[in-house]
Amino acid sequence: MTEHCCCPPEAGNEVCDLPAKNTRRTARALNDCPECGKTGKPVQGQTVKALVSATLHEVQEIQYLFCRTQTCPVVYFSTDSEQIFTVGEIRERVYQKEPEAQDVLICYCFRHTVDDLRAASPEERIAIVDDINTGINVGQCACDLRNPQGSCCLGNVRARIKQLEKPAVAAT
Ligand SMILES: [Zn+2]
């Protein structure tokens, strides 16, 4: 079963990890991270402005992409690869870069950590997902400004829960 993005625009649905229902994404080599070579994900300019700790004089009106490779220090890079922002230049710790850190946030809007998910029972995990969904539905989220990936965290949360509830490491 394929999961589709059902986030509202304010949750960053344009840059969501999940495929949108009706749009097709175009792949461009420009989207490859200059450091690790993996394809980055476009983020909105306001996400970069909200998350970098550098002076905003450095942030330009160009397309930036988010690199989610765990071992890669690059968080944002420009499509021309002229500019990069690495983990040390980001105001938040980035879930994708340290997914095993116990106090790293996985939901940046409602402040749920990886450790919260790990410690929770299956019922409590459902309650966490419900809490996030409720917040999104009433417009309390600001994923584009809070989450370094610039979009809703639900894909990450659901994937993490699935992984936690799998008894052993197994390839899918
Ligand atoms: Zn990278």
Side-chain angles (χ1 to χ4, degrees), residues 5-66:
C5 174
C6 50
C7 313
E10 58 270 26
N13 66 350
E14 283 179 14
V15 290
C16 185
D17 267 341
L18 296 173
K21 267 174 189 145
N22 297 316
T23 56
R24 225 175 308 134
R25 218 162 280 258
T26 47
R28 286 177 296 152
L30 286 174
N31 289 2
D32 294 346
C33 172
E35 184 71 26
C36 70
K38 297 271 171 58
T39 306
K41 196 178 62 134
V43 288
Q44 302 172 59
Q46 61 200 17
T47 301
V48 178
K49 285 180 182 169
L51 271 305
V52 298
S53 53
T55 166
L56 296 186
H57 287 308
E58 288 186 20
V59 178
Q60 303 163 56
E61 290 299 320
I62 53 176
Q63 179 66 62
Y64 289 98
L65 296 105
F66 174 77

Side-chain angles (χ1 to χ4, degrees), residues 33 35-37 67 69 72 74 97:
C33 172
E35 184 71 26
C36 70
C67 173
T69 307
C72 179
V74 173
K97 303 298 181 186

Side-chain angles (χ1 to χ4, degrees), residues 85-161:
F85 293 104
T86 57
V87 281
E89 297 166 290
I90 305 301
R91 286 145 53 95
E92 282 279 5
R93 289 167 63 201
V94 181
Y95 170 68
Q96 282 82 354
K97 303 298 181 186
E98 39 184 340
E100 300 309 323
Q102 57 177 16
D103 54 345
V104 73
L105 290 171
I106 187 163
C107 169
Y108 290 79
C109 295
F110 307 111
R111 318 282 301 171
H112 297 291
T113 63
V114 168
D115 216 30
D116 290 341
L117 282 184
R118 216 181 261 138
S121 66
E123 293 75 24
E124 288 164 339
R125 286 173 186 151
I126 292 168
I128 289 173
V129 173
D130 285 347
D131 176 68
I132 298 169
N133 269 318
T134 303
I136 292 170
N137 289 337
V138 298
Q140 289 175 323
C141 65
C143 315
D144 56 337
L145 302 175
R146 293 278 196 129
N147 193 327
Q149 73 180 20
S151 62
C152 176
C153 67
L154 275 176
N156 297 339
V157 173
R158 291 212 185 94
R160 194 58 191 251
I161 289 174

